[in-house]
Amino acid sequence: MEDTYKPEALPWRAEKILRKNDMGGWTKAAPNLYPHQWSWDSAFIALGLAHLDTRRAARELQTLFAHQWKTGKVPHIVFNSDAPPHSYFPGSEHWACAAASPDAPPAPPYTSCLSQPPVHAIAALRIWEAAKRRSEEEIASAWAFLKDIYPKLLSWHRYLLTYRDPEGSGLVTIYHPWGSGTDNSPRWDAALAAVEVSDLPPYPRYDLQHVGSPSQRPTDADYDRYLWLVELIKRAWCDETTIYESHPFLVKDVLSSAILVAANEALLKIAELVEAQEEDHTIIAAWIVRGRRGLEGCWEPELGLCLDYDLRADRPLQVRTVAGFAPLIAGSLDPRQLGVLLKTLDSPTFLGHRGLRWPLPPSTSPEDPGFNPRSYWRGPTWPVVNWLLWWSLIRADETERAERLRRTALEQLAKGGFGEYFDPFTGQLLGSADQSWTAAVALDWLSSESLPEVKAAL
Ligand code: 2M8
């Protein structure tokens, strides 16, 4: 394979992408395929922007949280009213009825009524840490940002631990695969198979015009189910209780749940910084304990991974994907479980697979029947997932492994470009080029040359 970029060109290339996709106070997830603001993309983008401009990074999150629902929910998409026609489906017209919900924020701009994994508090804390390495002015403005965003983050996490966890299990329920961020992962195959689609009007697949081949995106059969689930959510007027009672797809998502635990740890640090009331500390600390306990219950010793749970079928979803490393992301593992997870990570099920172009984790294990190396979340490697694992390995004191992962992930980007995802066997860029969150995590990796410093900032 030919060299795409010289490694020393990576920082300015990454910066150029973020500037190109910058829409003022927010960033498009990708130039053409994703012309709107996505929730967890914005969080990753903010932590990358923090290395360029901490105020602009803060604004990324503030723009997103300006569209928070009254329940505390942060919508998975805030629609760009100026997006080119026929560029993304389902767009704002399709979700406009969500604005009629009494819980919805003022529209336009319209929002979807789904959510995505809660990376935001982690990003907010990293903005603070980046500001601390700069000037007194930046520190003051980052502190004001933390003060402003803290109650919004608290309400977001509270939403996830109430509306999305009425059982008190510590695990986040999703009611649409889009809510997981890993849309067509085989994690959802069994639960989706039980969804019966009826009277769905024809719809366009604008996404396919922006990728090299339709095989890189979810199939039409997947999309039928996605849109049918959206239809049912709209018929329930986006009311969480109604959805919980009647919706055919209801799953406990271990990846979102683990991210929530890590985000609650970040929130606890923010609570200290902004001198939040003592009661908040107690609540957040209890959420962390509850989250870890919930994940313990999803542990599958035979696979050495954690499994999602289908609430409708009342059974775990037996699929080997990167989401199975959820306990590593949640952190504070006992050494025995950490050892088991690292063994799984190194085994042929993931990094040790002989066919891999680089030892980077495929989104789905090549040994899993649902694996497909070119289809979206069914096998390709994703830089943001690499970032999450890298960050989690540092937190677990696995600094050498973390450093290997970081260097390999950067090598992949230097050779392959700032892709949305990559074929794990050939290293070919798939999906969108110039994906914002890929550029953002690259900037974060590049500014993390000295690990002790990174560790101190966690
Ligand atoms: C992908 O999801 C959207 C729907 O939300 C899509 O395929 O149209 C996912 O990779 C998701 O995790 C990501 O946030 C979004 C934008 O990058 O694209």
Side-chain angles (χ1 to χ4, degrees), residues 32-36 82-89 205-210:
N32 304 307
L33 180 58
Y34 305 120
H36 307 289
D82 298 324
H86 313 307
S87 54
Y88 185 81
F89 185 88
R205 289 291 307 270
Y206 298 141
D207 57 323
L208 300 181
Q209 65 192 325
H210 303 300

Side-chain angles (χ1 to χ4, degrees), residues 33-34 177-178 182-185 192 203 205 207-208 211 213-224 226 374-378 382 420-421:
L33 180 58
Y34 305 120
W178 286 337
T182 66
D183 309 1
N184 72 336
S185 169
L192 272 182
Y203 59 88
R205 289 291 307 270
D207 57 323
L208 300 181
V211 291
S213 151
S215 63
Q216 296 172 20
R217 293 283 302 171
T219 62
D220 285 347
D222 291 328
Y223 254 78
D224 284 354
Y226 299 160
R374 298 178 66 78
S375 172
Y376 211 37
W377 288 96
R378 301 185 78 85
W382 285 72
E420 186 184 6
Y421 45 102

Side-chain angles (χ1 to χ4, degrees), residues 122-423:
I122 298 169
L125 190 60
R126 275 178 99 78
I127 293 172
W128 167 252
E129 296 296 345
K132 279 201 307 188
R133 294 191 289 269
R134 304 257 176 91
S135 61
E136 286 303 316
E137 281 91 0
E138 286 201 52
I139 295 177
S141 108
W143 190 81
F145 156 68
L146 287 186
K147 191 93 182 141
D148 169 68
I149 199 109
Y150 169 74
K152 298 171 187 169
L153 289 167
L154 184 70
S155 137
W156 165 219
H157 291 192
R158 180 175 279 125
Y159 159 81
L160 291 169
L161 285 147
T162 51
Y163 289 95
R164 295 302 189 85
D165 188 25
E167 307 87 354
S169 68
L171 300 169
V172 176
T173 305
I174 54 160
Y175 39 72
H176 196 294
W178 286 337
S180 70
T182 66
D183 309 1
N184 72 336
S185 169
R187 297 167 74 191
W188 318 127
D189 285 1
L192 272 182
V195 174
E196 283 181 33
V197 178
S198 63
D199 59 336
L200 190 65
Y203 59 88
R205 289 291 307 270
Y206 298 141
D207 57 323
L208 300 181
Q209 65 192 325
H210 303 300
V211 291
S213 151
S215 63
Q216 296 172 20
R217 293 283 302 171
T219 62
D220 285 347
D222 291 328
Y223 254 78
D224 284 354
R225 290 205 162 81
Y226 299 160
L227 289 165
W228 181 243
L229 290 176
V230 169
E231 182 59 32
L232 295 179
I233 291 165
K234 282 161 60 170
R235 286 183 194 176
W237 293 102
C238 299
D239 177 68
E240 308 278 346
T241 315
T242 313
I243 294 169
Y244 226 88
E245 277 164 12
S246 60
H247 204 56
F249 180 94
L250 217 58
V251 177
K252 289 290 184 193
D253 167 357
V254 291
L255 179 61
S256 292
S257 306
I259 291 174
L260 182 56
V261 173
N264 270 322
E265 287 198 329
L267 189 62
L268 202 51
K269 289 186 184 155
I270 298 174
E272 277 161 28
L273 287 164
V274 302
E275 295 169 2
Q277 53 180 352
E278 204 41 49
E279 196 197 335
D280 288 7
H281 294 251
T282 314
I283 292 171
I284 301 166
W287 286 343
I288 294 170
V289 173
R290 197 169 116 192
R292 291 221 171 93
R293 200 178 301 133
L295 288 167
E296 270 164 34
C298 299
W299 179 245
E300 172 50 66
E302 280 190 18
L303 298 180
L305 289 170
C306 210
L307 295 178
D308 303 296
Y309 195 87
D310 184 343
L311 289 174
R312 287 294 176 238
D314 202 9
R315 60 163 186 240
L317 293 161
Q318 293 271 349
V319 192
R320 284 163 294 172
T321 72
V322 278
F325 296 101
L328 179 65
I329 294 167
S332 291
L333 280 176
D334 71 67
R336 197 199 50 81
Q337 198 187 8
L338 177 63
V340 176
L341 273 170
L342 294 178
K343 201 168 155 216
T344 311
L345 185 63
D346 290 339
S347 75
T349 311
F350 286 97
L351 300 186
H353 193 276
R354 284 179 36 203
L356 296 185
R357 169 74 179 81
W358 286 287
L360 292 170
S363 44
T364 300
S365 165
E367 292 181 350
D368 197 88
F371 173 78
N372 178 328
R374 298 178 66 78
S375 172
Y376 211 37
W377 288 96
R378 301 185 78 85
T381 50
W382 285 72
V384 278
V385 171
N386 297 340
W387 187 92
L388 271 176
L389 289 181
W390 165 77
W391 182 76
S392 307
L393 286 169
I394 296 172
R395 283 173 14 114
D397 275 327
E398 288 291 324
T399 45
E400 274 176 31
R401 272 166 194 284
E403 182 56 4
R404 271 202 305 276
L405 182 62
R406 184 184 76 92
R407 284 184 192 281
T408 315
L410 282 171
E411 191 188 328
Q412 180 186 54
L413 301 187
K415 292 259 170 28
F418 290 90
E420 186 184 6
Y421 45 102
F422 295 86
D423 183 320

